[in-house]
């Protein structure tokens, strides 16, 4: 049985509010805990009307405080946006409040466009080039070996992951002997090469004695294949809105939406969302098992942008059933 985890962007749907999105994220985390999901991660994005998880460490604390056993973490913190010391302090604080339950996934992308990047007031190109050194600096603070003392942070028991969608992150995770999470749920193009690089060049470390690979995977599940196909159109609209420069709050589903698109946008969705299972429990189980068999994933991080909150909870329930949790 492959462990399942949850990736939540705390989606803001049309006609709703950020406050409601946070309440929905808490409900999802609590449901995931009861269903047997291993962890729930929040992702740092900025300037996105449909994503409310920008202040990621704050939301992690809120969700960890509303749950008791599920691991809670960042999938991820975009480290070029931050000073390593501040991240060590934030996650050291979370570890002190919720010991043994906090994950820190670190990514190299800014999680935003150029205009938002400028508003963050960081030299993001230079910061991106420093990413390997900054990852090691965060880890040094947790060991109590940083250039200054991180309080909180020194001695924290935070699991550090490298995130990525390219060979760069795979190589870094392998070199540092860290677990690796690949963003195959929206950037699957380099998936097979990244797996080969990570496993082929992995060096055992004090953190991990063998490779551990988690893959992002879209699941839109419902009681019937037809219902799931309609639910999936909200996520499809969100990706089309993003690629056409019109990001917005998550829209309601539109039956037949994908078929109504121009051929080039249909092809874009097919590429971007190729690592997906959409359908009933039987369909999802079959597609999920095929993906795990093909990739050898040690863990799947399930995500799915669904407009209706009850349908979203039901989708995660069906995914858990399909995986045998």
């Amino acid at each position: 049985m492959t462990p399942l985890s949850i990736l939540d962007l705390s989606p803001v749907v049309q006609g709703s509010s950020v406050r409601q999105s946070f309440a929905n994220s808490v409900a999802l985390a609590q449901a995931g805990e009861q269903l047997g999901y291993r962890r729930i991660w929040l992702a740092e994005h900025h300037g996105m009307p449909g994503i409310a998880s920008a202040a990621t460490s704050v939301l992690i604390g809120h969700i960890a405080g509303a749950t008791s056993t599920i691991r809670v973490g960042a999938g991820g913190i975009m480290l070029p946006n931050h000073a390593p010391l501040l991240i060590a302090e934030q996650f050291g604080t979370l570890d002190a409040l919720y010991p043994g339950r906090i994950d820190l996934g670190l990514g190299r992308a800014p999680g935003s466009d150029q205009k938002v990047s400028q508003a963050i007031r960081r030299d993001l190109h230079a910061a991106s080039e420093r990413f390997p050194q900054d990852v090691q600096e965060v880890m040094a603070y947790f060991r109590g070996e940083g250039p200054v003392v991180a309080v909180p942070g020194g001695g924290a028991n935070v699991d550090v992951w490298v995130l990525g969608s390219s060979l760069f992150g795979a190589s870094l995770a392998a070199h540092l002997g860290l677990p690796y999470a690949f963003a195959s749920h929206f950037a699957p193009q380099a998936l097979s090469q990244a797996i080969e690089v990570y496993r082929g060049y992995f060096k055992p470390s004090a953190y991990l004695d063998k490779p551990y690979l988690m893959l992002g995977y879209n699941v839109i599940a419902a009681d019937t294949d037809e219902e799931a196909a309609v639910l999936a159109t909200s996520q499809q609209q969100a990706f089309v809105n993003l690629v056409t420069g019109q990001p917005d709050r998550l829209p309601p589903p539109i039956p037949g939406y994908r078929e109504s698109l121009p051929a080039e946008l249909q092809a874009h969705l097919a590429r971007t969302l190729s690592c997906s299972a959409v359908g009933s429990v039987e369909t999802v189980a079959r597609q999920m098992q095929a993906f795990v068999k093909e990739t050898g994933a040690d863990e799947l991080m399930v995500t799915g942008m669904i407009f209706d909150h009850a349908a979203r909870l039901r989708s995660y329930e069906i995914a858990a059933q399909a995986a045998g949790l």
Side-chain angles (χ1 to χ4, degrees), residues 65-178:
T67 52
S68 57
T69 58
I70 193 169
R71 296 190 67 89
V72 188
I77 290 292
M78 301 297 103
L79 196 51
N81 297 341
H82 309 276
L85 174 62
L86 298 184
I87 296 305
E89 291 172 340
Q90 290 171 21
F91 281 79
T93 299
L94 289 167
D95 176 68
L97 291 169
Y98 311 105
R101 295 180 56 208
I102 301 300
D103 297 332
L104 173 56
L106 295 170
R108 187 170 66 126
S112 59
D113 59 24
Q114 190 61 38
K115 187 174 182 180
V116 175
S117 297
Q118 291 171 353
I120 295 173
R121 297 184 178 88
R122 295 271 289 173
D123 183 348
L124 292 179
H125 177 73
S128 178
E129 295 297 314
R130 291 194 305 269
F131 180 68
Q133 292 77 22
D134 285 352
V135 170
Q136 293 176 82
E137 186 176 332
V138 170
M139 295 165 63
Y141 285 124
F142 291 147
R143 296 193 305 268
E145 300 171 0
V148 299
V149 178
V151 183
N157 180 28
V158 176
D159 281 5
V160 177
W161 294 63
V162 173
L163 277 58
S165 59
S166 70
L167 304 188
F168 182 93
S171 179
L172 179 62
H175 176 73
L176 297 178
L178 292 175

Side-chain angles (χ1 to χ4, degrees), residues 240 243-244 256-272:
V240 168
V243 77
T244 57
Y257 171 76
R258 186 167 185 161
E259 294 73 18
S260 73
L261 294 172
E264 60 271 20
L265 285 177
Q266 291 193 45
H268 173 77
L269 287 177
R271 290 190 303 269
T272 303

Side-chain angles (χ1 to χ4, degrees), residues 219-231 278-284 306 310-319 321:
V219 174
I220 309 288
D223 293 328
T224 66
D225 288 351
E226 293 76 17
E227 182 185 355
V230 173
L231 293 177
V278 178
S280 64
V281 63
E282 295 83 7
T283 300
V284 168
I306 296 175
R312 186 172 177 229
L313 293 179
R314 177 64 178 147
S315 179
Y316 278 97
E317 180 183 0
I318 293 171
Q321 183 182 352

